[in-house]
Amino acid sequence: MRQKTAEFKASLKDATSKITAQIEQIKEQIKNSTNVDEKEALFSKIESLKKESYEIEEKVLVQVLPEAFALIKETARRWAQNGEIRVTATEWDRELAAAGKDFVSIQETRLFGKTHGTLPELQ
């Protein structure tokens, strides 16, 4: 699930990378400009690009929605049937386990998430 989430995030980033780069270039132009009218036009351009980026993100999300839903459904089913879920532990998992959270236990490099206890906020 974590790998697929990373793939979904990468899809979003890839789809909007050109626009993001354009926005960063315009921000640099704004820093270097002293002309108020030029800055106003550049800020308008940024807003236009952000809107375009949002529309692209929306299209990508609609495309990945069926796969994301199926992934969550399957994960929830397995978690409900088994009472725990096993994944490769991340640094965040290790921090949760070290903090004594009862829903996480780590054995070697594997994380065991339990279906009881207080759930963490996602990062």
Side-chain angles (χ1 to χ4, degrees), residues 60-102:
V60 171
L61 289 172
V62 166
Q63 288 175 347
V64 301
L65 181 63
E67 186 177 1
F69 180 79
L71 177 66
I72 296 297
K73 184 178 176 182
E74 178 63 17
T75 302
R77 183 190 63 76
R78 288 181 185 188
W79 203 346
Q81 286 179 348
N82 300 327
E84 70 180 17
I85 193 162
R86 298 173 185 214
V87 297
T88 302
T90 65
E91 188 59 38
W92 185 52
D93 298 324
R94 289 181 185 84
E95 290 173 16
L96 290 172
K101 302 298 181 181
D102 64 346

Side-chain angles (χ1 to χ4, degrees), residues 30-71:
I30 290 170
K31 285 181 187 177
N32 298 328
S33 178
T34 56
N35 184 325
V36 175
D37 292 330
E38 181 182 7
K39 283 185 176 188
E40 187 175 322
L42 291 171
F43 278 118
S44 294
K45 180 67 175 168
I46 287 175
E47 289 306 313
S48 172
L49 288 170
K50 283 182 178 181
K51 183 179 179 185
E52 185 179 341
S53 177
Y54 178 78
E55 290 169 357
I56 291 170
E57 287 175 350
E58 188 175 18
K59 288 178 184 175
V60 171
L61 289 172
V62 166
Q63 288 175 347
V64 301
L65 181 63
E67 186 177 1
F69 180 79
L71 177 66

Side-chain angles (χ1 to χ4, degrees), residues 79 92 96 101-103 113-122:
W79 203 346
W92 185 52
L96 290 172
K101 302 298 181 181
D102 64 346
F103 55 85
K114 300 174 184 132
T115 58
H116 67 279
T118 307
L119 295 177
E121 290 188 29
L122 297 178

